[in-house]
Amino acid sequence: MVKLIYAVIILLFVLATPAMGKPSCETVSKRLAPCLSYIQGRYHSIKPSGRCCRGLIDISNMMKNRGDYSTVCKCIKKALLHTNYDPKRFQTGSQQCNTGYTLPPVGHTTTC
């Protein structure tokens, strides 16, 4: 019985460990979705929503922890290709959400 408990605990640790591969554009898009109104300037508050902050924190961690700025930057540009938005809102939003790593203003013309 004890071996079974240890096996379950080890399995839970393995499943809970984040993948060390490159972040996917699908993941970046999902994290970015709650921020769409905010970065377009349609959000009626000066501060991003809680869901938006969680997404920005996750995106920030992808850029910081994995050292994969270029991949995440390209994913952001791809996700927002046909959208008008203010790139500076990534920076101000990440500062207001205390992401730990201030996201750069990623716009349509940003070189990733």
Side-chain angles (χ1 to χ4, degrees):
M1 182 67 169
V2 172
K3 288 183 182 182
L4 178 63
I5 292 172
Y6 284 124
V8 170
I9 291 172
I10 290 170
L11 181 62
L12 289 173
F13 278 120
V14 169
L15 293 175
T17 304
M20 295 308 287
K22 289 188 175 196
S24 72
C25 286
E26 180 181 350
T27 302
V28 172
S29 294
K30 285 181 182 178
R31 300 304 186 271
L32 195 56
C35 297
L36 192 56
S37 294
Y38 174 75
I39 62 172
Q40 288 179 319
R42 296 184 308 176
Y43 194 70
H44 298 295
S45 175
I46 329 173
K47 188 173 180 178
S49 68
R51 288 184 64 216
C52 177
C53 281
R54 285 188 293 278
L56 291 176
I57 289 168
D58 288 346
I59 291 170
S60 171
N61 287 337
M62 287 179 211
M63 294 176 101
K64 179 177 59 175
N65 292 339
R66 296 188 180 151
D68 221 340
Y69 168 83
S70 180
T71 300
V72 174
C73 176
K74 289 174 185 174
C75 290
I76 291 171
K77 286 177 63 170
K78 181 180 175 183
L80 300 173
L81 183 63
H82 301 291
T83 306
N84 291 324
Y85 65 97
D86 181 1
K88 294 176 190 168
R89 288 195 171 249
F90 284 110
Q91 194 170 26
T92 57
S94 67
Q95 290 168 346
Q96 291 172 331
C97 294
N98 298 318
T99 59
Y101 172 77
T102 302
L103 296 172
V106 178
H108 295 297
T109 58
T110 301
T111 303
C112 297

